[in-house]
Amino acid sequence: MTFSIVARDDRTGAVGVATASFVLAVGARVPVVVPGAGAAVVQGGAPQSLRPTIRRRLEQGVSAQELIDGLEAAGLPPDAQVAVVDAQGRTASHSGADLEPYVEAVHGVGVCAVANLMEREHVPEASVTAFVDSMARGPLAPALLDALTRSDELGGDVRGRMSAALLVAERDELQDLRVDQDRAPIERLSSLHRAHRAHAVLARTLREHGSYADLVAVGEALRMAPEDPVCLGAQVLALLRAGRVDEAVAPARVLVRLEPAAIGRLRRSAGNGALEEAATEQLISLVRTSPEVAG
């Protein structure tokens, strides 16, 4: 199967797609997102040549139903599946007669979920419910992921699991996350999304302070992605700059296990004056006493 969900957040104007399938690199083939104009998915036997056509039509401001009507009038393969949400949150879809079951399309306010080759029926309906519940608590991207996770919990693709993707456009930000080949692609995609959010927090504090100095913000990022090397490195740098060498040891040991080159980067930062050299060498010495690192 390919299960996909397209949606618009009427609070922010964000539009996006989440998708998963037992094909390689679904994120390169299914989603179409036009910031401020809408989003679509092209799956089943729908040709890739539809993607630029859909993008152009969304940019022109056509409604979701007009777009689908135009595609049908031009002729779609009998196994094509397409779903669209437009700039006003209106949705429309097409599912060809030759798609393999289970085939469904479910529409809600500002959202449409479509699927084919599902292990069981009613997956899009349950996923839209999960999406609506999540949207009541927060922004678009996590809600799309919650819908995708729900589809997976209900069985997902009858053939298995391989790839997943999240593509969301909000204001000037494009979140484009892809898992191209994995045994648990949706779980991995959710992990990437958490890292993406954490890195955004770090980027903000870096802009505001010129360095990783805000321990509160760094801690917030690390809670989102506790084993992310970027977040661990930011915490180590912030603690070193605060003179809290002993507290930096534990995260530094985890960091060095994940990324041994981190020791060299710490020494380079000390060498160019970004870190205090004696404190940095003290930290490195303490990290190297760990059997996990020394071994």
Side-chain angles (χ1 to χ4, degrees):
M1 73 92 183
T2 301
F3 170 86
S4 300
I5 182 166
V6 298
R8 179 182 183 273
D9 184 348
D10 63 1
R11 298 166 299 192
T12 65
V15 291
V17 171
T19 182
S21 184
F22 188 70
V23 298
L24 188 68
V26 69
R29 305 164 67 173
V30 167
V32 178
V33 170
V34 181
V41 292
V42 177
Q43 57 193 50
Q48 289 293 294
S49 60
L50 290 182
R51 289 161 56 82
T53 298
I54 290 171
R55 178 177 294 277
R56 183 173 62 254
R57 296 292 281 156
L58 285 172
E59 289 171 343
Q60 292 169 348
V62 302
S63 72
Q65 191 60 58
E66 287 173 330
L67 200 158
I68 291 294
D69 289 346
L71 295 178
E72 290 175 341
L76 287 169
D79 59 350
Q81 193 169 45
V82 182
V84 182
V85 62
D86 64 27
Q88 280 71 52
R90 298 167 297 193
T91 62
S93 65
H94 167 92
S95 295
D98 286 359
L99 285 162
E100 294 188 54
Y102 294 105
V103 179
E104 292 178 80
V106 174
H107 298 257
V109 178
V111 60
C112 177
V114 291
N116 60 79
L117 263 176
M118 297 299 291
E119 186 174 303
R120 64 179 67 181
E121 294 181 278
H122 309 308
V123 170
E125 181 179 356
S127 297
V128 167
T129 298
F131 170 83
V132 171
D133 290 345
S134 185
M135 280 295 290
R137 302 188 302 272
L140 181 62
L144 289 169
L145 283 172
D146 285 345
L148 202 62
T149 299
R150 185 61 178 144
S151 77
D152 195 53
E153 291 169 349
L154 293 173
D157 193 322
V158 70
R159 301 165 296 176
R161 295 157 175 80
M162 185 175 293
S163 64
L166 175 71
L167 183 58
V168 175
E170 182 175 1
R171 299 185 181 94
D172 295 329
E173 180 187 4
L174 182 67
Q175 185 174 167
D176 186 356
L177 303 176
R178 306 180 183 189
V179 178
D180 288 340
Q181 187 178 44
D182 196 276
R183 295 293 296 276
I186 295 174
E187 182 179 336
R188 178 63 179 146
L189 185 65
S190 296
S191 176
L192 289 177
H193 173 64
R194 289 191 295 272
H196 174 87
R197 290 175 56 216
H199 292 185
V201 171
L202 294 179
R204 185 174 66 245
T205 189
L206 198 59
R207 288 193 303 270
E208 292 172 354
H209 300 281
S211 65
Y212 295 126
D214 185 345
L215 281 164
V216 173
V218 170
E220 178 189 349
L222 199 59
R223 282 190 294 275
M224 294 178 188
E227 290 204 351
D228 178 75
V230 174
C231 295
L232 285 163
Q235 187 182 47
V236 170
L237 291 173
L239 288 168
L240 273 177
R241 291 188 175 112
R244 295 157 64 173
V245 177
D246 290 344
E247 294 175 59
V249 174
R253 283 176 174 165
V254 178
L255 174 63
V256 172
R257 283 201 305 273
L258 294 171
E259 185 51 79
I263 286 179
R265 292 203 296 273
L266 285 170
R267 283 207 165 108
R268 177 176 293 186
S269 295
N272 64 26
L275 293 174
E276 202 276 320
E277 192 165 359
T280 302
E281 287 300 327
Q282 181 188 358
L283 174 66
I284 291 171
S285 177
L286 290 168
V287 167
R288 282 183 161 166
T289 64
S290 166
E292 296 164 324
V293 174

